[in-house]
Amino acid sequence: MAQDSPPLQDSDYAALADFRAALRGFLAFSEARAGEVGLSPRQHQTLLAIRGAAPGQATIGYIAERLILKPHTASELVKRLEALGLIVRKSSEQDRRKTILALTGRAEGLLLKLSTIHRKEIGRLKPLLIRLLDRFG
């Protein structure tokens, strides 16, 4: 711990506990919504990572990095999504040796539904999260 940091108080521990509880609540919400449309949480995260990537950047390595997975685990996840008809692989226009992942129309529809619901939930949680973050100074 840095010497110039003030010592932790009981209120600091309470704030950290409340913040983690809020994050876990959001994750539980997210996991449940993904399940309602037939996706696992990782599948939802993968679709979101692909959609949120800069053009030409959604590769298996990128998915592994964003989801904090080993490359072979990310590769298996991508294979399952491909088998479900939710993603396709395309050769990069800049480097034909590089494979880029893209969402299918069906995946775009599922992700739009999930993202709309998630954005509303984040909006609902925003005041709570701001209050919690303010407790950290």
Side-chain angles (χ1 to χ4, degrees):
M1 183 168 9
Q3 290 185 356
D4 60 348
S5 296
L8 290 173
Q9 304 295 316
D10 289 343
S11 62
D12 295 317
Y13 290 105
L16 287 168
D18 290 346
F19 183 72
R20 288 188 57 84
L23 290 177
R24 277 300 307 140
F26 178 75
L27 290 175
F29 166 88
S30 181
E31 292 166 3
R33 298 301 80 75
E36 289 171 1
V37 298
L39 296 175
S40 73
R42 277 193 178 167
Q43 289 172 332
H44 174 218
Q45 291 171 6
T46 302
L47 297 180
L48 188 57
I50 292 168
R51 181 64 176 87
Q57 296 303 306
T59 63
I60 289 175
Y62 177 82
I63 297 303
E65 182 181 307
R66 293 293 290 198
L67 274 66
I68 312 172
L69 300 172
K70 294 190 182 318
H72 71 273
T73 303
S75 181
E76 287 301 315
L77 183 56
V78 164
K79 283 180 190 176
R80 285 192 297 275
L81 287 167
E82 194 173 26
L84 291 171
L86 296 173
I87 63 171
V88 293
R89 299 173 195 238
K90 299 179 180 183
S91 293
S92 168
E93 293 179 13
Q94 291 76 27
D95 181 351
R96 290 294 199 198
R97 298 168 295 174
K98 187 176 176 183
T99 301
I100 306 301
L101 307 172
L103 301 181
T104 63
R106 181 169 164 244
E108 288 277 358
L110 288 173
L111 193 56
L112 176 61
K113 179 179 181 176
L114 287 169
S115 296
T116 300
I117 293 167
H118 279 71
R119 185 170 62 184
K120 286 180 185 174
E121 181 65 4
I122 290 168
R124 188 186 71 76
L125 290 173
K126 185 178 177 181
L128 169 66
L129 293 173
I130 289 170
R131 281 193 309 277
L132 289 173
L133 290 171
D134 285 345
R135 288 169 62 184
F136 293 107

